[in-house]
């Protein structure tokens, strides 16, 4: 059976996890949490990276730092994961969904301005499949309307837009290290902070509303309750597991990209014949091989292909059910403008197996079964 995803694991992880136990520091903010944050800061160029218990929690922190209040409006695509919206709904925001660009499946930046009202506070850019949204336009709109930008970069570590790391362009960037992502700690994430003025507030939020981070650095002699907060620190054991992968981040990235390219080159003839559509990477974007998807003629063709692959021991899966059509989406949000692409495109998109340990031979086998389905 070829699984859809296999979580990445690097041998040194075992040694590093053992080290956290020997350090007698298995709670948050130990040696490996520091190593991971420093790696992220160096690699992305962000002012500050805070490791969190999930990307969902990083998004919740971003919503708190944007000071979202009851009735504020937040603009985002409907084609995204629930957490993109949930984090803001928890603060009482109304979600304003706009359509996507079918070429990238990202928010259609030309639809954003018509959805802005005096209540709008934030635009959320979710970089689908690790391919960047049109950030220059989004940042320009935000600047002109005095809005904040949060990047849901859950899938986008190692990707860039005009040379800038995704997650570092907006005010806040949220990464995921869930087991389905390119680098993993089981459950985990990170908050990237652009403007240093937010660092102290974010550290307090993350440490139960206390200044314990300052205390650990020896900047205060006792830590006290300073503000509202929660507990968003992952265990150092999880950070140890992640750090082993970050040390070989380029190798993991290149391996994924070569599997991605293998799919792309082999399936290109099917696209040329008008049978399927392949992902599109805009000129200024460097992607990270997070996902390989194809688009079929319609949902029926997709169901039959999933079935064909499953009979051949290959697990391929579809993706998001648009949020605006889900029960909570109807309750907490509204779609502004025409749903020209969100629903129809979501119904014909299929993701093929993609993970670090997927072999070239397994990939060839999957490709041959997709071609077989189309009688090629
Ligand atoms: C995976 C994912 C999340 C959630 O990440 P967790 O770390 O599981 O909380 C949020 N948004 C997007 C777009 C994702 O792909």
């Amino acid at each position: 059976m070829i699984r859809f995803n296999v979580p990445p694991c690097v041998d040194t992880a075992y040694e590093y996890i053992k080290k956290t136990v020997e350090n007698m520091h298995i709670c948050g903010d130990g040696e490996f949490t520091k190593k991971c944050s420093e790696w992220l800061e160096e690699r992305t160029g962000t002012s500050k990276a805070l490791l969190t218990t999930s990307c969902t929690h990083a998004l919740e922190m971003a919503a708190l730092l944007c000071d979202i209040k009851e009735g504020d409006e937040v603009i985002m695509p409907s084609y995204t994961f629930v957490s993109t919206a949930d984090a803001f709904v928890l603060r009482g925001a109304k979600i304003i969904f706009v359509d996507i660009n079918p070429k990238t499946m990202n928010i259609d930046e030309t639809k954003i301005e018509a959805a802005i009202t005096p209540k709008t506070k934030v635009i959320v850019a979710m970089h689908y499949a690790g391919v960047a949204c049109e950030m220059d336009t989004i940042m320009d709109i935000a600047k002109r309307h005095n809005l904040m930008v949060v990047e849901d970069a859950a899938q986008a570590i190692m990707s860039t837009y005009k040379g800038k790391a995704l997650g570092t362009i907006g005010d806040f960037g949220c990464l995921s290290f869930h087991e389905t992502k390119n680098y993993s700690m089981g459950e985990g994430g990170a908050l990237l902070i652009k403007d240093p003025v937010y660092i102290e507030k974010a550290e307090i939020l993350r440490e139960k509303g206390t200044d314990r981070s300052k205390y650990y650095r020896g900047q205060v002699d006792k830590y006290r309750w300073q503000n509202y907060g929660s507990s968003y620190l992952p265990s150092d054991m999880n950070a140890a597991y992640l750090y082993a992968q970050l040390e070989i981040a380029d190798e993991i990235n290149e391996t994924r990209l070569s599997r991605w390219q293998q799919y792309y080159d082999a399936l290109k003839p099917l696209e040329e014949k008008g049978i399927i559509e392949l992902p599109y990477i805009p000129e200024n974007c460097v992607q990270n091989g997070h996902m390989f998807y194809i688009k079929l003629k319609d949902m029926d063709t997709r169901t039959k292909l999933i079935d064909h692959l499953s009979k051949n021991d290959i697990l391929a899966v579809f993706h998001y059910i648009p949020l605006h059509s889900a029960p909570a989406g109807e309750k907490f949000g509204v779609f502004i403008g025409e749903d020209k692409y969100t629903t129809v495109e979501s119904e014909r998109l299929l993701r093929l197996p993609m993970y670090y340990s997927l072999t070239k031979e397994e990939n060839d086998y999957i490709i041959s079964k997709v071609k077989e389905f189309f009688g090629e």
Side-chain angles (χ1 to χ4, degrees):
M1 183 77 179
I2 300 182
R3 295 173 48 154
F4 173 69
N5 177 60
V6 174
C9 182
V10 173
D11 281 344
T12 41
Y14 301 104
E15 183 193 316
Y16 294 169
I17 292 169
K18 189 161 167 266
K19 182 121 192 288
T20 67
V21 179
E22 286 163 1
N23 284 348
M24 287 186 273
H25 191 118
I26 58 173
C27 67
D29 283 342
E31 176 186 347
F32 289 95
T33 306
K34 277 196 203 89
K35 285 191 154 101
C36 289
S37 333
E38 280 164 14
W39 187 93
L40 286 168
E41 283 161 11
E42 193 176 311
R43 193 68 195 221
T44 67
T46 185
S47 306
K48 187 77 182 171
L50 295 174
L51 219 56
T52 59
T53 26
S54 66
C55 177
T56 303
H57 280 163
L59 286 160
E60 285 181 22
M61 287 181 70
L64 283 159
L65 292 165
C66 289
D67 201 24
I68 295 294
K69 295 273 185 331
E70 188 83 32
D72 287 344
E73 295 180 356
V74 177
I75 298 173
M76 65 180 65
S78 170
Y79 188 72
T80 185
F81 188 59
V82 291
S83 300
T84 320
D86 246 337
F88 294 91
V89 166
L90 275 174
R91 306 263 70 82
K94 181 174 173 189
I95 307 300
I96 308 298
F97 297 114
V98 300
D99 211 5
I100 52 168
N101 176 344
K103 283 173 95 175
T104 56
M105 302 300 282
N106 281 333
I107 191 166
D108 181 344
E109 70 282 355
T110 67
K111 301 286 156 60
I112 294 174
E113 233 161 346
I116 294 175
T117 75
K119 289 182 176 167
T120 309
K121 211 135 178 209
V122 174
I123 302 170
V124 186
M126 190 278 272
H127 307 294
Y128 190 65
V131 177
C133 297
E134 195 36 60
M135 289 311 290
D136 275 356
T137 310
I138 293 173
M139 294 310 289
D140 176 59
I141 295 169
K143 198 171 169 197
R144 283 189 284 107
H145 295 269
N146 198 22
L147 306 174
M148 298 192 84
V149 174
V150 173
E151 292 179 74
D152 181 341
Q155 306 172 8
I157 185 170
M158 303 293 272
S159 295
T160 58
Y161 171 83
K162 298 190 177 171
K164 289 184 200 147
L166 298 191
T168 66
I169 303 164
D171 297 280
F172 302 105
C174 304
L175 306 179
S176 175
F177 300 118
H178 184 260
E179 73 164 30
T180 52
K181 301 304 200 282
N182 292 21
Y183 308 92
S184 178
M185 56 198 283
E187 299 280 356
L191 177 71
L192 307 185
I193 301 170
K194 185 163 77 175
D195 186 339
V197 299
Y198 290 102
I199 296 174
E200 189 173 339
K201 189 162 184 207
E203 283 183 339
I204 288 170
L205 254 181
R206 179 171 168 271
E207 261 286 18
K208 301 99 182 164
T210 75
D211 52 354
R212 183 146 70 179
S213 301
K214 269 190 170 169
Y215 171 74
Y216 274 152
R217 288 193 295 259
Q219 292 165 328
V220 289
D221 59 2
K222 54 179 171 289
Y223 69 88
R224 295 182 304 171
W225 188 23
Q226 301 288 347
N227 205 338
Y228 52 80
S230 188
S231 181
Y232 294 125
L233 296 73
S235 158
D236 212 49
M237 292 194 284
N238 295 56
Y241 184 89
L242 173 66
Y243 188 66
Q245 294 154 53
L246 296 182
E247 279 188 317
I248 58 155
D250 287 309
E251 190 208 309
I252 292 176
N253 197 47
E254 280 152 27
T255 304
R256 295 188 75 109
L257 284 170
S258 62
R259 287 295 89 79
W260 193 98
Q261 198 62 45
Q262 193 185 341
Y263 271 133
Y264 191 89
D265 295 343
L267 297 174
K268 190 77 185 157
L270 286 180
E271 183 175 58
E272 280 158 3
K273 287 182 186 166
I275 297 170
I276 62 170
E277 280 168 48
L278 297 179
Y280 165 74
I281 315 296
E283 209 176 307
N284 296 312
C285 302
V286 174
Q287 59 122 4
N288 61 357
H290 173 64
M291 189 192 299
F292 193 88
Y293 65 79
I294 58 177
K295 286 200 250 172
L296 292 316
K297 188 160 72 57
D298 50 28
M299 197 196 258
D300 185 52
T301 312
R302 181 176 74 179
T303 308
K304 287 180 178 140
L305 177 55
I306 291 175
D307 219 49
H308 176 76
L309 294 174
S310 161
K311 282 191 189 112
N312 287 287
D313 281 335
I314 299 162
L315 205 60
V317 298
F318 54 82
H319 216 179
Y320 308 128
I321 310 288
L323 297 183
H324 73 285
S325 59
E330 288 179 351
K331 194 158 136 193
F332 301 120
V334 60
F335 197 103
I336 296 292
E338 188 196 348
D339 171 9
K340 197 167 170 194
Y341 296 113
T342 302
T343 301
V344 288
E345 297 294 306
S346 73
E347 287 176 348
R348 62 193 197 94
L349 183 144
L350 180 69
R351 296 182 293 159
L352 299 176
M354 174 57 98
Y355 45 88
Y356 174 48
S357 54
L358 183 71
T359 66
K360 197 165 178 294
E361 292 68 32
E362 286 169 326
N363 214 352
D364 278 333
Y365 173 73
I366 300 162
I367 291 162
S368 73
K369 291 298 160 186
V370 172
K371 285 185 163 171
E372 181 183 276
F373 175 78
F374 292 108
E376 299 278 319

